[in-house]
Amino acid sequence: MYLIECYRCEAVMGTEVSGEVLSEPLDEEIPVPAKVTLVACPKCGVALVGVEESYGECKEDGTPDWAEPVRVWPEPPLLLDLRIPRDVRMSLMEAHKCLKCKAYTASVGMSGRALEAIGRHLNPNETKPLMLGAGLQKLYADKVIDARLYEWGKALAQTRNLAAHASGTHFRREDAEDVFRFSTNICEYIFVLSAQFEEFMERRKKGVQQ
Ligand SMILES: [Zn+2]
């Protein structure tokens, strides 16, 4: 019996395996073998693909000790780049967890907290920790974000305020998912894409010099 979380039922289901491939490691530097499994949810019939990895541990009979299966299709698990600072990442992970538990208003609040953590992370010497609005303003003034991202950030901040205070607003799934997606993308833009572009320019400069 194969245990995997169904995308539609949002519950862990035990099901029969329809197909399985023992994959050679994708990357020579990280030689982790993987077992890729195709199943159908026994309740709703949706196809699901799970991946188990083995980190070199073996069972007594010499077969790999596979880690718990992780669903990779539909909707892969949340993978956040480690260049996103820990405080920011933790808030995004919480926001994602809230989405999974259908706690949409709480999720909007946590996405807002991730945005707030950006300003605080980049301005650790402020006498008072930067609140979300002031933090965004500072990011814009320091040219960390451009005018469009600043506008997006302000709209997200207003939405977050409705979630954070007893405004009587309750959020729907689509809204909470959008707020999460925009917040994650702003974090990736600031901490990942910008660093990757600098690395690219650095390589280009070296290439020109050679
Ligand atoms: Zn299902």
Side-chain angles (χ1 to χ4, degrees), residues 6 8-9 13 41 43-46:
C6 174
R8 191 191 275 166
C9 302
M13 299 288 183
C41 172
K43 198 172 154 207
C44 72
V46 157

Side-chain angles (χ1 to χ4, degrees), residues 109-180:
M110 291 313 295
S111 292
R113 196 161 116 173
L115 292 178
E116 194 166 59
I118 300 174
R120 293 184 183 189
H121 177 83
L122 294 177
N123 300 286
N125 299 324
E126 292 284 325
T127 41
K128 267 202 297 185
L130 282 177
M131 302 304 278
L132 179 51
L136 286 167
Q137 222 165 27
K138 182 100 174 56
L139 292 175
Y140 179 54
D142 294 345
K143 296 198 166 71
V144 176
I145 53 175
D146 63 10
R148 176 180 287 180
L149 278 194
Y150 181 48
E151 287 308 314
W152 289 5
K154 280 200 291 191
L156 293 172
Q158 283 167 2
T159 311
R160 191 293 300 252
N161 288 342
L162 292 174
H165 307 298
S167 63
T169 309
H170 291 278
F171 287 87
R172 286 174 308 179
R173 177 180 174 169
E174 304 90 287
D175 296 329
E177 281 176 352
D178 281 348
V179 171
F180 175 72

Side-chain angles (χ1 to χ4, degrees), residues 1-5 13-23 33-41 46-54 66-74:
M1 197 51 78
Y2 189 77
L3 290 174
I4 190 165
E5 189 196 22
M13 299 288 183
T15 182
E16 299 293 328
V17 170
S18 303
E20 187 179 275
V21 173
L22 284 179
S23 171
K35 186 158 76 172
V36 183
T37 307
L38 173 67
V39 299
C41 172
V46 157
L48 306 162
V49 178
V51 170
E52 293 153 86
E53 290 182 323
S54 170
W66 300 106
E68 293 273 296
V70 174
R71 191 188 72 220
V72 293
W73 192 89

